[in-house]
Amino acid sequence: MFGYFLKRLFSSIPLLIGITFISFILINLAPGSPLNEWADPSLSIEDTQKIKTNLGLNDPVVVQYGRWLKNALKGDLGRSYSYSKPVTAMLKERMPATLLLSISSLILILGITLPLGLISGAKKDSFFDNFVLIFSFIGLSIPTFWLGLMLILGFSLKLNILPTSGFIDPQLSEASLWIQLIDISKHLALPLLTIVIGGLASLTRYHRFGIIKILSQDYILAAKARGISKTKLLFIHAFKNASIPIITILGLSLPGLIGGSFIIEYIFSWPGMGQLGIASIFSRDYPVIMGSIVFSSILIILGNLFADIAYTYADPRIRLK
Amino acid sequence: MKKFKPLSLLSLIFLAGLVFLAIFLPLLSNTDPNTFNPDLIGDALAPSLTNWFGTDDLGRDLFIRTFSGARISILVAVVSVSISISIGLILGLISGFSSKAVDSILMRFVDLMMAIPTIFLILTIQVILTPSIWNVMIVIGLTSWMGVTRIVRAEVLSIREQLFITAAKARGISNTKLLFKHILPHTLPPVIVAATLGMGSAILTESVLSFLGLGVQPPDASWGNMLDNSLGYMRESPWMAIVPGTFITLTVLALNILGDDCRAKFNPKES
């Protein structure tokens, strides 16, 4: 098991290098230089050239990538053009907010999907099942950013019970920890709800389908013949087997979830890495863009890795391969 | 899946109506979707009998603008999906039909592209290029072919082992003919499903891009930039945000329902 883990970990290194290489080339092939955005317009052309040479912006892109990679391996992702702070420090600052949002949404999504898909699959074609199916179709089709806007419209602007955006009310910086936590969870509610509704739809559909497929297997029939109760059948026999594909689907849907939460963070001004990433795209802050890509790719690769490991754990047949 | 039949029909009618109105409404109407009404600036009108969907902050009729935006969405869906399907078909056929080395290189490349958060890449490229509708279509097409490649490859791999292929080979058919006459047609059903679902996600991506100001530029209307425009008026004129978003949702919903129904038709076992 540990050997497998190490093997997978090593094989994801070339993947990460590939991702950063492609992103770096694409970003740097762009016409125009980030200096045009950031430099003082009164700078002379010679001075601009000097700064470019100093920053290494005149070297071929591949050389620039090599230098970036060498520094990145040492844990140095460069300095932001706009804030002249180290990129790693900026990402670290943003990490807690992003992790809070993504982990709580993952927990909620799984916590709702598993029972919902189970009941829906077990009561195939019932009113409840149709309701879940239609809901999941709508969830798949609704643009998450618009869903976010509609939630703001309903809960913040019309009902006035939840804040529109931000992380915590700045006036509460002196307040007790409890009051601060309550305020943070109020701010968390709408972005969380948006991500959960968006993420729930496809997973529930897959899980329902998995349950239906398993319930039609021979061993379920055999268990039924042995007089095992329906609850036991569903929860012990069907549930565990159907949760295996869910783990994989969850791993596969990570890029979408992470990409989607970027937009959500942006809409709700949630001070996470996604908001930073989008802001850096707009200001063409290349080192921060690269840092965000590296970070989200690592999250995606790790997510897939854990999904694979959970998979081999849940299904011993795969371990042998 | 029987219960989805009426829903599929409804989806088809909705999409046909959308395409029809998108083509003819801007042509036939004497209201230009982009000219604003100086009397109404800053004072958006709620939906009424004269303006069915209301007007926006510049007094432009939202009914006309919605269908003018539908043109953009339909165009983006069709063009970007054509690009991604072409790439996916070609790479999938190559991958499934050629040597193991080529196959594994191509598949690693697919893995790599799938691990990049594409929306991030699309946004970056859009900031760098001058925002235009053509760039949007090309960029979406170039970043969404991976799923199709995998589907086509898997189909080719399973068809290759079938008896009728061995029979065709025994008759001495050339490889090209084998590929295009016997294998390609069998890969098409899942590709049609992928194309239908792909159109939905292309429309969603376009709306995100235009919403962030990186797609269709004002004064031209697109559902995404109409939403962007609505941001400052959410409290007083919520219809400016509700109308375009509802159209995005309904269109994508119709495409998803159709795609799902096609899948059920092509694989009766799965339904």
Side-chain angles (χ1 to χ4, degrees), chain A residues 19-69:
Chain A
I19 292 169
T20 53
F21 183 70
I22 290 184
S23 317
F24 196 89
I25 300 285
L26 276 176
I27 292 172
N28 283 282
L29 277 183
S33 140
L35 262 193
N36 301 345
E37 308 260 322
W38 292 111
D40 187 341
S42 64
L43 267 181
S44 67
I45 297 179
E46 295 92 67
D47 284 342
T48 318
Q49 277 308 321
K50 253 187 221 158
I51 296 175
K52 272 191 169 177
T53 320
N54 281 344
L55 286 172
L57 293 174
N58 283 335
D59 298 335
V61 180
V62 180
V63 176
Q64 289 188 42
Y65 174 71
R67 193 164 45 224
W68 178 87
L69 184 66

Side-chain angles (χ1 to χ4, degrees), chain A residues 30 130 141 146 205 209 262, chain B residues 3 120 128 241 253 256 260 270:
Chain A
N130 281 338
S141 315
W146 182 66
R205 271 165 56 85
F209 182 59
F262 275 24
Chain B
K3 61 184 170 292
F120 209 67
I128 289 165
L253 185 64
N256 282 344
D260 201 70
E270 270 191 33

Side-chain angles (χ1 to χ4, degrees), chain A residues 1-9 305 308-309 312 321:
Chain A
M1 195 68 190
F2 190 65
Y4 175 80
F5 180 75
L6 279 187
K7 206 179 111 195
R8 280 294 315 268
L9 205 60
L305 186 62
D308 274 0
I309 288 169
T312 51
K321 284 177 192 166

Side-chain angles (χ1 to χ4, degrees), chain A residues 15 22 30 125 130 137 141 143 145-146 149 153 157-158 205 209 255 259 262 266 281-282 292-293 296 300, chain B residues 3-4 112 114-117 119-120 127-128 207 211-212 227 234-235 241-242 245-246 248-249 253 256 260 270:
Chain A
L15 192 62
I22 290 184
D125 293 335
N130 281 338
F137 258 116
S141 315
F145 73 94
W146 182 66
L149 289 183
L153 179 65
L157 298 180
K158 294 286 167 200
R205 271 165 56 85
F209 182 59
F262 275 24
Y266 176 78
I281 289 176
F282 278 119
S292 311
I293 290 182
S296 37
I300 291 167
Chain B
K3 61 184 170 292
F4 270 122
L112 195 146
M114 284 187 117
I116 301 181
I119 185 73
F120 209 67
V127 170
I128 289 165
S207 71
F211 175 70
L212 294 174
L227 281 173
M234 288 264 282
R235 197 185 294 267
I242 294 173
T246 310
I248 301 173
T249 310
L253 185 64
N256 282 344
D260 201 70
E270 270 191 33

Side-chain angles (χ1 to χ4, degrees), chain B residues 164-165 173 175-186:
Chain B
F164 73 92
I165 296 294
I173 276 176
N175 262 345
T176 2
K177 213 173 166 190
L178 193 69
L179 191 60
F180 288 103
K181 263 198 110 168
H182 295 278
I183 294 184
L184 183 67
H186 283 94

Side-chain angles (χ1 to χ4, degrees), chain B residues 29-233:
Chain B
S29 151
N30 45 13
T31 329
D32 180 71
N34 295 340
T35 323
F36 46 81
N37 183 343
D39 301 333
L40 290 171
I41 288 182
D43 192 20
L45 296 179
S48 66
L49 280 177
T50 38
N51 302 96
W52 290 357
F53 292 169
T55 65
D56 67 4
D57 55 312
L58 297 175
R60 296 175 293 196
D61 181 59
L62 282 179
F63 186 72
I64 304 277
R65 276 181 82 71
T66 298
F67 288 101
S68 159
R71 284 184 165 192
I72 301 282
S73 293
I74 294 165
L75 196 67
V76 169
V78 172
V79 175
S80 63
V81 165
S82 313
I83 295 174
S84 66
I85 294 285
S86 315
I87 300 176
L89 260 180
I90 293 170
L91 291 186
L93 286 177
I94 293 176
S95 194
F97 209 64
S98 55
S99 69
K100 220 169 177 178
V102 177
D103 178 41
S104 85
I105 290 172
L106 276 174
M107 280 303 112
R108 288 300 80 74
F109 185 56
V110 168
D111 288 346
L112 195 146
M113 286 296 291
M114 284 187 117
I116 301 181
T118 21
I119 185 73
F120 209 67
L121 211 57
I122 295 178
L123 288 177
T124 315
I125 298 172
Q126 281 305 112
V127 170
I128 289 165
L129 302 172
T130 27
S132 87
I133 186 65
W134 296 103
N135 284 337
V136 171
M137 296 187 232
I138 294 170
V139 168
I140 295 177
L142 289 181
T143 47
S144 54
W145 48 271
M146 292 82 79
V148 184
T149 308
R150 277 196 173 165
I151 294 169
V152 173
R153 171 182 175 270
E155 285 294 313
V156 173
L157 285 181
S158 82
I159 294 164
R160 228 166 67 159
E161 306 301 322
Q162 310 248 329
L163 213 55
F164 73 92
I165 296 294
T166 322
K169 272 190 191 155
R171 287 209 331 268
I173 276 176
S174 74
N175 262 345
T176 2
K177 213 173 166 190
L178 193 69
L179 191 60
F180 288 103
K181 263 198 110 168
H182 295 278
I183 294 184
L184 183 67
H186 283 94
T187 63
L188 288 182
V191 169
I192 292 171
V193 174
T196 320
L197 301 175
M199 282 194 208
S201 67
I203 290 177
L204 287 178
T205 312
E206 186 277 330
S207 71
V208 172
L209 287 175
S210 297
F211 175 70
L212 294 174
L214 299 173
V216 179
Q217 298 298 306
D220 287 332
S222 104
W223 291 339
N225 74 21
M226 286 164 77
L227 281 173
D228 185 22
N229 189 37
S230 78
L231 280 184
Y233 307 92

Side-chain angles (χ1 to χ4, degrees), chain A residues 14 19 59 61 67 69 89 96 141 149 178 187 191-192 219 230 239 248-249 253 263 265 275:
Chain A
I19 292 169
D59 298 335
V61 180
R67 193 164 45 224
L69 184 66
S141 315
L149 289 183
W178 259 119
H187 282 86
L192 186 63
Y219 69 84
K230 200 165 180 206
F239 190 72
T248 325
I249 301 288
S253 58
I263 310 286
E265 283 189 7
Q275 194 209 22

